Amino acid sequence: MINEELAVKMVGITKRFPGVIANNNINFEVKRGEIHSLLGENGAGKTTLMNILYGLYAMDKGEIYIYGEKVDIGSPKDAIKLGIGMIHQHFTLVPPFTVTENIILGYEGNNLILKTDEAEKRIMELAEKYGFEVDPRKKVMYLSVGEQQRVEILKALYRGAKILILDEPTSVLTPPETKQLFNILRRMADEGKSVIFISHKLDEVMEISDRITVLRKGKVVSTVSKDETSKRELAKMMVGREVIFLLSRPEVEVGEIVLDVQGLFVLDDRGLTAVKNVYLNVRRGEILGIAGVAGNGQKELAEAIVGVRKALKGKIFVEGKNVTNRPPYELMSMGIGYITEDRVGKGLIIDLTVKENLISKVYSAMTRKLFFLDKDLAERYSKWLIKEFDIVAPSPETPAKTLSGGNLQKLLLARELAIEPTLLVASQPTRGLDVGATEYIRERLLEQKKRGTAILLISEDLEEILGLSDRVAVMYEGEIMGVLPVKDANIEDIGLMMAGAKRLNR
Amino acid sequence: MVLPRLKLEKRPPPTLKMKVAAAIGSIALALLFSSILIVQAGVNPLVGYFHLFYGALGDKLSLTETFVRFCPLALTGVACAIAFLCKFWNIGAEGQLYAGGLAATFFGISFLGAPSYLIIPLMTISGFLGGAFWAFIPAALKTRWKVDEVVTTLLGNWIIYFITGAILYGPWQNPVTKWPESPAISEAAKLPILIPGTRFHLGIVLALIVVLIYLVIYWGTAWGYELKAIGANPEASYSMGIKVERNMVLAAILSGGIAGLAGAFEVNGLNFHMKLDLSHGYGYTGIVIAMLGGLHPVGVALAAFFMAIIVTGTQAMHRVTGVPFPLSEVIQGLSLICLLLGNFLTEYRVRRVVE
Ligand SMILES: Nc1ncnc2c1ncn2[C@@H]1O[C@H](COP(=O)(O)OP(=O)(O)OP(=O)(O)O)[C@@H](O)[C@H]1O
Ligand SMILES: [Mg+2]
C-alpha cells in the first residue's frame, strides 16, 4: 500500500469545543514527497486539525486515511506507529539528558538495556542523510532552541516518521536556523516523505511549500499550488480582505527621556553575564528597536528593566527616578507595560479566565468601597478589549488555556496596551500572530507612540524593527554594537553588527 | 480478533457542574466502599447508614451535636482553603488550632473576674492571634529562605503538641485531679448557649460568619482575585505587579488565625479547659474538607457539614449497631481518594478503542 499517492487524506473532519466549531467539515490531503503548508488566521483551527491527525484530540466526525488505508488514531502512540510525527511549539525534551538519550527515550523498539552505541550510530546516519548538525553526546540543556528543534525532528525520524507535522516551527528560529530547517525539510520531501508546515510568515510559506491549504474560521477556503498563487492572494484568502503590507511611520515630536539605562550588567539563569555594560535611552513618543539574534541578552535586558531580574551593576532610570532592582509592583504602578516573549509561562495565567487575565493589571483601580471588585466594570472592560483586539474567545468567562496560540498573544497585548503605559517593553510582540493581527498590532504600537509612550521594541524580525523603530540598537553577546537612526540604517550594516563583525563608536 | 482497548483522553476544562458531580460522586463511592466494612462487622449497610444519618440529623439534639462538630471542621476547612488558594500548603491547621486554644485558655484562666463582654472577645482575639502566629513562622521561613512549608507546618503540629503537653503537665496541671488539663475557665468566659438544653454555642454562628467572610473574599474582592492568581501562576503574578510574598504571608496569617479560632471555641464553647486531645484531628480533616469543597466557600461549608455528619453519625451507628467507631476515619480517607479519582475523570475521559 505504500505506493499510494496520498500520504494523508482527511475527510469531513469536524471538531467542536464549547462555543466554537474549531474544524467544520474539513477535507485535507497531503501527497507523498510534498511539503504542504497550512495557513490561516489565529484560531482558524490549524493546530486542532493537526492534533486530531496526531491522535491528541478525538474528532466528532470524519475519516482519516493514511497511505490509502482507513485508520483510527486514538493516541499519539497510534500515530507514531502509522509513521506520523509532530513537532509542537513547546518541546518535550528532558534537559539533563543527552541528545541520544532523549531520542531513544520511551521508544518502543528498545529493550530493557539501552544500546546507546547502536542508537548513536543510527542517529549519526540519519543526521548525515538529512544534513543535520548535532552532537549526539551533548546534553539538551546546553542546546539552543534551534538545535533542540532539530533533536525533536531527529526523534521523529528515528521513530520512523514518514509524515512530519511542524506547528509554527520557525517562530522560535533565527533566519539562518530557518534556512537550515528548510534544507532538512526539502531533503525529506525529496526522499518521499511528507511534511505539513504551519506558519504565519507568508514569505516562508511561499519559499518552502509545494501546495498550500488555507483555513478560515474552521473551514477550508481553498488548496492551491505554490506556483499559482502569491503572497497577496494568500493573505486575502486568509483574512477575507486586502492586507496592506506597508506601514506609515508617523513623525512624532520626541519628548523627554523616559527610560535611561546606564552601564547595566545582568546575569542569565546559568549565572553568566548576559548583558554587558549597556547604555541606552528611550524618549517620549519614540520607538527604540533592539535588533539581534535571540539569546544575545535581549531577554535579560528586558527583564532587568521591568524588575523581574536583578541587575548586577549599573542603573536604570524611569522618568528620572532610579528604579534599579525595584520589584515589579513598584514599577507597574509607574505605568510600565511589559510584553514578555514567554506568554504562557510568565505573561498570562492560563488557568484563569480570559476576563481575569485582562483585568490583571487594573483590578485595583476597579475596586470600590473598601475591597469590592466592580464586576460590572470588569465585564465591560474585558468585552471591550476582546472586541477591540479581535480576540477569538466564546466569552470573557472562557478559560484562557483553551485559546489558540495567536489569541493568547493578543490577550497579552490587549492587557498591556490598554493601560496606556508611559513605557512599554515589548519582546517579540507579533510572534505567532497572523498577518491581519500583525498589521493591527504594529499599527497599535505606532499609535501608542503617537500618544506619547516610550517603546523599547525587541524583535528578531528585522523587517519589524526597521518598519517601526525611530532608532535601532543592535545587540550582540550582551553588548550594544551601535545605535543609529533608522533612516541611516541599512540591512547590511545591521547584519554585520548582529554577527559581531562591526561596531559603531558610541 | 478485535480487541477493545481503553485509553485516556484529555477533556475540555471541567465546568462547575462537573466538579460538583465529581464531589458528590466521590462521596457516594466512598460510602459504597465503606459499606463493605459495615458488612464485615455483620451489619446490613442500609441499616448501618440509616442509623448513621438518623443519629446525625434525626432529632433536635443530634442535629445540634452535628453542628457542634461542624464548628471546628468548618473553621479548619476554611483555614486550609484560604491557604491552598494561593498554594501555600498549610498542613498545620492542627497545630494552629492548639496554638489558638493555648492562647485563649491563658486569658480564660488568668482573668477570672472579668465580665463576659470583655473576656469572650479577648479569648476570641487571642485564639486568632495564637494560630496566626503559629502559621506566620512557616510563612516567613518560606518567603524569606524558601523553606518548604509542607515540612515546617507539619513539624509545627508536633512542636505545639509537645509544648501543650509540657504546659499541661507543668504549670497548668489540674492541682486536684493531676490530670494533664488546665484549670477550668471562668463561668463568664464560656460562650453563651444559643439553644437551651443543647450544646449549640455561639462559636457555631461565628464559624458560619467566618465562612461568609471567606465567601466575600473569594467572590467579590481584589484580594481573593490576587490569591487565585498567585495560586495559578506565581511567576506571572509577580511580574505583572502582584505582591506575591506579602499576600502569601497574609493568607497564611489569616489561615492560621481561623484555625486558632477553632481551638479557642473548642475551649470556651465546649470543653471549658485546655486539654491534650482538644482536637480530634480536626486540623487534618480540614485538609480533606478544603479539597472536597474545591476550595470554594460553599463547597467547603457543605463538605464540613458532611464530615460533621460522618463524625456524629458513626458514633450513633456504633452505639446502636456496634460497627466500630474508626469507620468515621475510613470514610474520610476514602472520600479524599475517591475525590482525587473523580477530579482525574473530570479532566480525562476513558474511551474504548477498537483495533
Ligand atoms: N482544548 C480546547 N478547548 C476549547 N476550545 C479550544 C481548545 N483548543 C482549541 N480551541 C478553540 O478552537 C479554535 C481553533 O483553535 P486552534 O488552536 O486550532 O487555532 P490555530 O489555527 O492553531 O490558531 P493560532 O494560529 O492562533 O495558533 C479556537 O477558537 C480555540 O479557542
Ligand atoms: Mg495554533
Side-chain angles (χ1 to χ4, degrees):
Chain A
M1 287 309 273
I2 198 79
N3 46 27
E4 171 76 32
E5 203 30 37
L6 282 182
V8 178
K9 185 172 167 194
M10 298 177 87
V11 186
I13 306 290
T14 297
K15 175 74 184 173
R16 283 190 184 78
F17 289 114
V20 277
I21 306 181
N23 287 167
N24 189 354
N25 200 18
I26 286 187
N27 296 319
F28 178 63
E29 290 175 358
V30 183
K31 293 183 196 155
R32 258 166 71 80
E34 170 182 58
I35 299 181
H36 196 129
S37 287
L38 207 47
L39 209 55
E41 286 182 286
N42 296 127
K46 306 177 293 291
T47 301
T48 305
L49 186 68
M50 289 304 107
N51 280 344
I52 289 172
L53 181 58
Y54 193 56
L56 282 168
Y57 288 153
M59 57 196 166
D60 299 333
K61 237 175 62 198
E63 286 166 5
I64 300 177
Y65 299 85
I66 300 295
Y67 295 115
E69 228 169 320
K70 186 166 186 289
V71 292
D72 180 5
I73 305 172
S75 69
K77 231 185 209 168
D78 295 350
I80 291 166
K81 255 188 239 157
L82 289 165
I84 303 169
M86 181 160 177
I87 316 296
H88 292 272
Q89 242 186 294
H90 302 105
F91 306 141
T92 52
L93 301 172
V94 189
F97 283 18
T98 67
V99 169
T100 306
E101 282 164 348
N102 263 289
I103 288 174
I104 60 180
L105 198 73
Y107 179 52
E108 290 204 345
N110 281 326
N111 297 323
L112 221 50
I113 300 154
L114 296 179
K115 291 191 191 128
T116 329
D117 291 347
E118 260 170 55
E120 209 174 282
K121 230 175 83 199
R122 261 199 67 202
I123 291 167
M124 288 309 284
E125 278 168 22
L126 277 173
E128 198 147 318
K129 187 161 151 199
Y130 295 104
F132 285 88
E133 276 169 41
V134 284
D135 175 359
R137 299 203 180 160
K138 212 163 167 183
K139 286 192 174 153
V140 162
M141 58 204 276
Y142 299 122
L143 300 183
S144 73
V145 180
E147 288 172 312
Q148 289 185 28
Q149 189 177 65
R150 267 172 262 153
V151 176
E152 288 275 11
I153 297 173
L154 262 182
K155 188 164 143 186
L157 289 173
Y158 188 87
R159 284 160 197 220
K162 298 189 288 274
I163 299 161
L164 193 66
I165 307 164
L166 299 113
D167 194 352
E168 299 191 31
T170 55
S171 64
V172 291
L173 298 185
T174 60
E177 282 176 328
T178 301
K179 200 154 255 155
Q180 209 175 351
L181 172 71
F182 283 1
N183 284 336
I184 293 168
L185 297 185
R186 238 324 125 208
R187 283 205 205 181
M188 287 174 58
D190 291 344
E191 259 254 302
K193 295 187 192 296
S194 308
V195 175
I196 304 172
F197 176 76
I198 301 179
S199 171
H200 289 295
K201 298 179 190 159
L202 294 176
D203 290 322
E204 291 177 1
V205 168
M206 286 303 285
E207 184 187 337
I208 190 75
S209 326
D210 297 311
R211 287 196 303 161
I212 300 147
T213 293
V214 180
L215 299 186
R216 185 159 82 227
K217 301 203 159 75
K219 287 188 184 159
V220 175
V221 179
S222 148
T223 297
V224 290
S225 135
K226 194 252 307 268
D227 305 326
E228 291 158 12
T229 189
S230 65
K231 250 175 86 174
R232 200 175 208 98
E233 194 194 14
L234 288 175
K236 198 173 158 189
M237 274 199 273
M238 271 168 63
V239 187
R241 63 177 165 86
E242 285 286 344
V243 181
I244 319 141
F245 284 102
L246 273 176
L247 289 166
S248 59
R249 190 182 12 237
E251 283 308 323
V252 180
E253 186 95 5
V254 294
E256 71 276 22
I257 292 179
V258 175
L259 172 70
D260 193 5
V261 175
Q262 298 182 357
L264 190 69
F265 285 79
V266 186
L267 299 184
D268 66 11
D269 291 333
R270 288 174 297 180
L272 305 173
T273 315
V275 175
K276 294 174 196 150
N277 199 23
V278 163
Y279 285 82
L280 50 82
N281 62 58
V282 192
R283 294 167 177 271
R284 266 176 74 82
E286 183 190 43
I287 299 183
L288 174 69
I290 303 230
V293 177
N296 274 289
Q298 300 96 318
K299 184 180 121 197
E300 287 78 10
L301 172 66
E303 289 184 349
I305 291 172
V306 301
V308 296
R309 188 180 285 273
K310 281 257 171 299
L312 193 67
K313 224 173 101 190
K315 290 206 170 69
I316 302 165
F317 295 90
V318 173
E319 294 191 297
K321 198 176 147 204
N322 186 349
V323 296
T324 322
N325 288 334
R326 301 311 304 161
Y329 44 83
E330 256 185 64
L331 291 162
M332 296 307 149
S333 63
M334 297 178 66
I336 297 183
Y338 174 42
I339 295 157
T340 157
E341 52 182 37
D342 183 6
R343 58 185 173 227
V344 172
K346 295 181 184 162
L348 298 164
I349 304 178
I350 57 166
D351 284 327
L352 297 185
T353 64
V354 169
K355 178 171 90 187
E356 286 169 322
N357 273 285
L358 284 172
I359 64 165
S360 61
K361 274 203 154 174
V362 290
Y363 65 91
S364 38
M366 290 178 172
T367 311
R368 292 178 317 179
K369 282 194 226 141
L370 260 47
F371 335 95
F372 287 92
L373 208 62
D374 188 337
K375 298 225 155 164
D376 249 24
L377 185 58
E379 178 90 15
R380 271 187 319 209
Y381 180 78
S382 46
K383 280 202 169 133
W384 167 65
L385 284 179
I386 287 173
K387 202 162 148 246
E388 185 84 4
F389 284 81
D390 193 24
I391 300 168
V392 183
S395 86
E397 312 299 336
T398 313
K401 66 170 144 211
T402 68
L403 262 51
S404 80
N407 281 298
L408 282 173
Q409 183 69 16
K410 289 194 226 168
L411 192 62
L412 180 59
L413 287 159
R415 187 186 84 194
E416 296 300 319
L417 288 176
I419 60 170
E420 287 280 334
T422 46
L423 169 67
L424 177 69
V425 179
S427 224
Q428 320 293 350
T430 57
R431 174 182 285 178
L433 294 184
D434 63 46
V435 281
T438 301
E439 177 198 12
Y440 177 72
I441 291 303
R442 288 179 181 168
E443 268 168 19
R444 281 299 297 236
L445 289 174
L446 290 174
E447 168 74 28
Q448 205 61 49
K449 153 183 138 166
K450 229 163 64 188
R451 288 212 285 257
T453 300
I455 300 178
L456 184 71
L457 171 71
I458 298 171
S459 176
E460 284 174 71
D461 188 343
L462 257 189
E463 204 180 309
E464 181 162 281
I465 293 274
L466 293 175
L468 296 179
S469 321
D470 300 297
R471 287 185 298 141
V472 184
V474 183
M475 224 174 157
Y476 172 72
E477 294 203 330
E479 291 181 73
I480 300 285
M481 304 302 282
V483 185
L484 64 173
V486 74
K487 55 180 187 298
D488 302 342
N490 71 61
I491 295 210
E492 217 159 276
D493 281 350
I494 291 185
L496 284 175
M497 282 155 78
M498 277 168 67
K502 186 176 166 138
R503 184 195 287 267
L504 297 180
N505 293 331
R506 242 200 316 273
Chain B
M1 199 178 77
V2 180
L3 277 176
R5 189 161 60 96
L6 296 179
K7 76 169 214 75
L8 288 170
E9 176 186 285
K10 207 145 170 64
R11 288 183 197 251
T15 57
L16 183 67
K17 252 191 226 158
M18 282 166 76
K19 285 184 200 161
V20 171
I24 293 174
S26 53
I27 286 173
L29 206 61
L31 291 180
L32 194 71
F33 282 136
S34 309
S35 62
I36 297 171
L37 292 177
I38 302 181
V39 172
Q40 284 285 303
V43 177
N44 179 341
L46 287 179
V47 175
Y49 281 134
F50 170 78
H51 287 297
L52 190 154
F53 284 104
Y54 188 79
L57 309 165
D59 53 38
K60 185 173 130 191
L61 194 65
S62 40
L63 192 61
T64 57
E65 276 305 298
T66 301
F67 271 105
V68 168
R69 298 289 181 193
F70 172 78
C71 174
L73 289 174
L75 288 170
T76 54
V78 169
C80 292
I82 287 181
F84 293 175
L85 203 56
C86 67
K87 297 246 165 75
F88 181 82
W89 297 113
N90 180 12
I91 312 297
E94 181 80 359
Q96 291 138 21
L97 184 152
Y98 275 94
L102 281 177
T105 309
F106 172 77
F107 288 97
I109 60 177
S110 301
F111 301 104
L112 290 173
S116 290
Y117 62 84
L118 274 184
I119 191 68
I120 289 177
L122 198 59
M123 285 181 77
T124 309
I125 291 168
S126 58
F128 183 91
L129 292 180
F133 172 70
W134 208 242
F136 170 73
I137 299 170
L141 288 174
K142 180 185 168 84
T143 48
R144 268 242 166 265
W145 292 297
K146 303 209 170 4
V147 184
D148 184 36
E149 76 277 19
V150 174
V151 177
T152 47
T153 51
L154 190 62
L155 285 178
N157 290 346
W158 291 102
I159 295 172
I160 196 78
Y161 188 75
F162 290 127
I163 291 177
T164 308
I167 293 176
L168 292 183
Y169 280 106
W172 285 2
Q173 191 172 41
N174 190 315
V176 188
T177 61
K178 296 285 174 205
W179 277 97
E181 54 186 35
S182 75
I185 58 172
S186 69
E187 237 5 82
K190 293 181 182 173
L191 290 179
I193 296 292
L194 301 181
I195 301 176
T198 71
R199 302 202 288 175
F200 193 99
H201 56 81
L202 180 67
I204 296 163
V205 176
L206 294 179
L208 280 168
I209 291 174
V210 168
V211 171
L212 226 74
I213 292 173
Y214 178 43
L215 182 71
V216 169
I217 292 175
Y218 188 94
W219 260 117
T221 66
W223 192 55
Y225 169 77
E226 285 174 345
L227 292 188
K228 272 188 248 176
I230 293 169
N233 187 345
E235 208 172 339
S237 302
Y238 179 69
S239 72
M240 63 202 182
I242 293 178
K243 297 175 184 170
V244 173
E245 298 191 340
R246 200 190 71 161
N247 279 316
M248 202 174 254
V249 171
L250 275 180
I253 287 176
L254 190 61
S255 166
I258 292 172
L261 281 184
F265 296 158
E266 284 304 282
V267 170
N268 63 358
L270 202 64
N271 296 297
F272 311 125
H273 55 237
M274 183 67 194
K275 51 181 198 165
L276 257 182
D277 59 345
L278 183 72
S279 164
H280 301 277
Y282 295 140
Y284 298 111
T285 311
I287 299 169
V288 181
I289 290 169
M291 301 302 274
L292 208 57
L295 309 188
H296 190 285
V298 176
V300 169
L302 291 175
F305 194 68
F306 169 74
M307 284 302 172
I309 291 174
I310 297 297
V311 173
T312 324
T314 38
Q315 276 170 339
M317 179 165 70
H318 171 68
R319 277 195 305 275
V320 183
T321 65
V323 175
F325 180 64
L327 182 72
S328 158
E329 267 137 62
V330 174
I331 296 179
Q332 287 173 26
L334 279 174
S335 306
L336 186 63
I337 293 169
C338 293
L339 180 76
L340 293 178
L341 181 74
N343 278 350
F344 182 75
L345 289 179
T346 56
E347 282 178 25
Y348 296 86
R349 81 178 103 218
V350 184
R351 205 163 68 105
R352 271 188 65 195
V353 186
V354 182
E355 302 215 306

